[in-house]
Amino acid sequence: MFTVLAAAGGCDEAEPSADAIPVPSGREVRLIEVVTNVPGPDGATARFRFLAPGLTEADIPASADDMQALCDTYALARIDGMVPEPQQIIISLAGEDVPFGEAAPDVVQFFEAFEVTDGTCILAAF
């Protein structure tokens, strides 16, 4: 299930990425931050927040593939050694850098949740 929402909570760690992270759509995507100090419904959760300038609601189909790729190729490799070990990864894309937990109804943001099962990102109900 694909979700377009505003998140709520607090921040934690990770330096913003100066380098674009490759995604299937070819869109320019950069890491904003990783938030690990706000549990999700399944317990420990790692939220990987990405900036995708110019994101629009018309980008939903391509963004779903991009978020799966970001979980598989970027986030999954970075949760190893996190304590507690995340049971869920949430990937978000935002058209503008919005502080975590702040509402921004004028900014397009997409969120997708993934369960971590046997070292694989499995799309989860969100």
Side-chain angles (χ1 to χ4, degrees):
M1 171 178 234
F2 191 82
T3 307
V4 180
L5 298 171
C11 294
D12 188 26
E13 59 187 68
E15 296 290 321
S17 174
D19 298 325
I21 299 163
V23 292
S25 70
R27 171 178 297 285
E28 183 176 303
V29 174
R30 295 186 182 341
L31 180 68
I32 296 171
E33 67 182 337
V34 179
V35 178
T36 59
N37 65 346
V38 181
D42 295 330
T45 300
R47 290 169 173 81
F48 288 80
R49 301 183 63 237
F50 295 93
L51 177 64
L55 193 66
T56 69
E57 289 187 28
D59 295 317
I60 288 175
S63 294
D65 291 339
D66 289 350
M67 289 189 288
Q68 179 72 54
L70 286 166
C71 190
D72 291 338
T73 64
Y74 190 87
L76 202 55
R78 287 161 177 81
I79 65 166
D80 191 33
M82 285 185 179
V83 177
E85 181 179 348
Q87 303 303 302
Q88 184 177 55
I89 294 173
I90 296 176
I91 302 291
S92 66
L93 293 175
E96 296 177 29
D97 187 352
V98 176
F100 184 75
E102 288 189 19
D106 56 325
V107 177
V108 174
Q109 299 181 73
F110 301 146
F111 300 83
E112 198 61 88
F114 298 89
E115 293 177 8
V116 180
T117 305
D118 297 325
T120 304
C121 289
I122 308 294
L123 190 61
F126 193 42

